Amino acid sequence: MIQALSGDVAFLQAIRDLKFDGFIHTIFSKTVNIKCRESGELYTLACNRLDNAPNSLIIDINCFSNNHLELNDQVFIQKSTLSIDNKMVIRLEDVKGWECSLPCYPLNEQRLIYNLAIMKGYIEFNGKSGGMKKDSQTRNPFEVEMAKMLEERSYSLLCSLVNNNESEAVNHALSLIGLGPGLTPSGDDYLTGLMTTFQLLNCPCYSLKEFCERVILKAKHLTNEISYMTLKMASVGKVRESIVHLLCLAMYGEEKELIKALQHVLQIGSSSGTDISLGLVSGLETILKISSTRRNIHVNH
């Protein structure tokens, strides 16, 4: 019997309503992904070293390496437990509910502007290369070309967003999906960060939400299921707890706390944390540029 420590409230509700029935989709050392038969969505069991995330349940286990779990093992509800065949039983009583709640975009943007400069500098020197952050040491022609494509397509995307050309922006975003190394490709991780910022409460660029909706409508078959679910959640403002914390500090925090939160996100995956962080920075800078342009137009009129 393993105790569940905390979990996404929507996942917990589905379990408590006895409406969850699924099977193991993928197995990693720190996570196990479960596919729900009814919705087709992925849910995650995560070890106690990870932070809360959408559709996830943190359980009191160090890793999943020695639990003899296999792909397609059945996952079902039994009384107040979540069971995986006869191999694992997870106790759900006393579990702490968690729900992603993004912060409000600030009325005064000066702290955000200052903190973005800090984030960019820190990522430049401490972020992991090989994805959105170019590896200046590589001589591999494939990696050089991949880095060039990621840079050019992300730049074109941001230009289209700032110039309010939504259709063009959607096409550039779709060209990033599935591009780059990693289980969640670098282009996907970058878009995860970017789209998250457009879901901030009181975001002055409301039209950017529609951009996210249009991207997700066409994204499903361009990448793998795990990465697609991450993108889909980000497009409606649902991301892991460490990313929410970093966003809060980017807009309102002091340098010391900001760097600590950024370090935590940069540790995600191989280059995923760096790619997500660069997406967050790009998204916040895009909002700043668009809102500044609108203010200038308003003043001139």
Side-chain angles (χ1 to χ4, degrees), residues 143-183:
E143 291 177 359
V144 170
E145 184 61 26
M146 182 66 70
K148 182 182 175 185
M149 291 167 70
L150 287 166
E151 182 178 32
E152 289 177 348
R153 294 180 186 187
S154 58
Y155 176 78
S156 296
L157 166 60
L158 298 179
C159 288
S160 297
L161 288 171
V162 171
N163 293 326
N164 197 32
N165 191 331
E166 188 180 294
S167 294
E168 202 174 81
V170 170
N171 289 332
H172 289 311
L174 294 173
S175 75
L176 280 167
I177 296 176
L179 186 65
L183 173 66

Side-chain angles (χ1 to χ4, degrees), residues 262-273:
L262 179 56
Q263 288 172 337
H264 192 54
V265 173
L266 291 178
Q267 291 170 3
I268 298 172
S270 178
S271 67
S272 286

Side-chain angles (χ1 to χ4, degrees), residues 82-256:
L82 183 70
S83 298
I84 304 177
D85 278 349
N86 60 347
K87 301 174 181 179
M88 183 181 288
V89 178
I90 300 167
R91 181 175 176 269
L92 298 168
E93 292 175 358
D94 304 319
V95 61
K96 184 179 179 181
W98 173 84
E99 188 170 15
C100 179
S101 179
L102 293 181
C104 287
Y105 188 81
L107 292 174
N108 187 323
E109 296 169 332
Q110 292 309 304
R111 169 61 62 179
L112 171 59
I113 293 168
Y114 177 78
N115 282 346
L116 281 174
I118 292 172
M119 289 177 70
K120 290 170 75 171
Y122 191 88
I123 294 168
E124 178 62 31
F125 285 100
N126 300 282
K128 295 176 184 175
S129 302
M132 295 301 301
K133 183 176 181 289
K134 261 196 303 192
D135 186 350
S136 58
Q137 305 299 316
T138 185
R139 294 293 178 267
N140 182 314
F142 176 80
E143 291 177 359
V144 170
E145 184 61 26
M146 182 66 70
K148 182 182 175 185
M149 291 167 70
L150 287 166
E151 182 178 32
E152 289 177 348
R153 294 180 186 187
S154 58
Y155 176 78
S156 296
L157 166 60
L158 298 179
C159 288
S160 297
L161 288 171
V162 171
N163 293 326
N164 197 32
N165 191 331
E166 188 180 294
S167 294
E168 202 174 81
V170 170
N171 289 332
H172 289 311
L174 294 173
S175 75
L176 280 167
I177 296 176
L179 186 65
L183 173 66
T184 52
S186 295
D188 299 25
D189 288 328
Y190 177 78
L191 288 172
T192 292
L194 185 83
M195 292 196 294
T196 299
T197 64
F198 300 160
Q199 309 305 317
L200 291 169
L201 299 177
N202 297 335
C203 176
C205 309
Y206 187 79
S207 62
L208 294 174
K209 292 180 186 290
E210 189 175 322
F211 156 78
C212 297
E213 292 170 6
R214 290 181 62 184
V215 170
I216 292 304
L217 280 174
K218 299 180 179 180
K220 188 166 188 177
H221 302 295
L222 299 177
T223 191
N224 63 71
E225 285 186 276
I226 296 171
S227 195
Y228 172 72
M229 276 303 300
T230 304
L231 281 167
K232 183 181 176 183
M233 289 294 182
S235 75
V236 291
K238 294 184 178 181
V239 288
R240 57 198 297 174
E241 194 171 18
S242 54
I243 296 173
V244 176
H245 187 52
L246 176 56
L247 270 173
C248 287
L249 291 170
M251 293 184 291
Y252 301 105
E254 300 295 329
E255 182 173 348
K256 185 177 179 181

